[in-house]
Amino acid sequence: MGGRPSRPRRFATTQVPHSLLYRGAEASIMPTAQKYGVGVLAFSPLAGGMLSDTWPGGGDAMTNTRASLFLADKYDLSRPENRGKHDALAALTALAADSGLSLIHLAIAFTLSHPAVVSAIVGAGTTTQLASQLGSAEVQLSEDLLDAIDVIVPPGTVFDRMDFSYLPPALVDPALRRRVHAR
């Protein structure tokens, strides 16, 4: 059994949400991943269905299962945060159409265009949904199109804290992020 002791291995990837409507990871996680050579597996590139055909053109009602069953607040247009997403979605839908792309292809290609992203995790639940997403990886977005997206939804944008799929306990419980000195 001799030989060299094994060295600890560093992380090779991390998984974070990233989409046209949720760009929060661009502010800290993605630059840090790039700096240290950690690949990013981006999940939810269709923003929980908002960037699919279930909310065509940014209409006034969300028509997917998530909205009707268990995440109604995330899609409730009476909330100001969601109104901002709605307005951005309408502009992104028009931009996709003007560019000759489906919104789905624009959304997935956008996520894949970030240099830190090594892969996007799509959540197709049916063959129809999968078929609508196929070909997205081959779409190359121009600098002008990426600049137009940045105008609609600036880098680092988070419309709503509810868009986080997971809130670390340290963000919820102050005792986990503060040193309390005994007196």
Side-chain angles (χ1 to χ4, degrees), residues 37-99:
V38 175
V40 171
L41 300 172
F43 70 88
S44 200
L46 297 180
M50 286 188 183
L51 297 166
S52 69
D53 294 332
T54 60
W55 206 2
D60 289 331
M62 189 71 177
T63 59
N64 74 13
T65 305
R66 287 182 180 104
S68 61
L69 292 180
F70 59 93
L71 292 174
D73 285 347
K74 190 172 178 177
Y75 303 98
D76 179 359
L77 291 177
S78 68
R79 297 180 68 236
E81 302 89 341
N82 292 338
R83 186 48 69 180
K85 283 188 279 192
H86 177 273
D87 295 345
L89 178 56
L92 291 166
T93 300
L95 181 64
D98 291 347
S99 302

Side-chain angles (χ1 to χ4, degrees), residues 16-31 43-45 47 51 85 88 92 95 107 110-111 113-115 145-160 163-164:
V16 299
H18 183 254
S19 74
L20 289 165
L21 294 177
Y22 177 78
R23 298 184 66 179
E26 294 173 357
S28 60
I29 296 170
M30 290 168 130
F43 70 88
S44 200
L51 297 166
K85 283 188 279 192
L92 291 166
L95 181 64
F110 169 77
T111 292
S113 73
H114 195 287
L145 187 52
L146 291 168
D147 289 344
I149 290 168
D150 287 349
V151 169
I152 297 168
V153 182
T157 295
V158 175
F159 286 101
D160 185 357
D163 290 340
F164 286 102

Side-chain angles (χ1 to χ4, degrees), residues 119-173:
S119 186
I121 301 169
V122 296
T126 67
T127 55
T128 302
Q129 290 173 351
L130 179 61
S132 72
Q133 297 172 18
L134 293 176
S136 298
E138 284 77 41
V139 174
Q140 297 294 312
L141 304 180
S142 70
E143 290 294 320
D144 289 342
L145 187 52
L146 291 168
D147 289 344
I149 290 168
D150 287 349
V151 169
I152 297 168
V153 182
T157 295
V158 175
F159 286 101
D160 185 357
R161 296 288 293 169
M162 285 183 69
D163 290 340
F164 286 102
S165 296
Y166 167 76
L167 282 177
L171 293 181
V172 179
D173 182 355

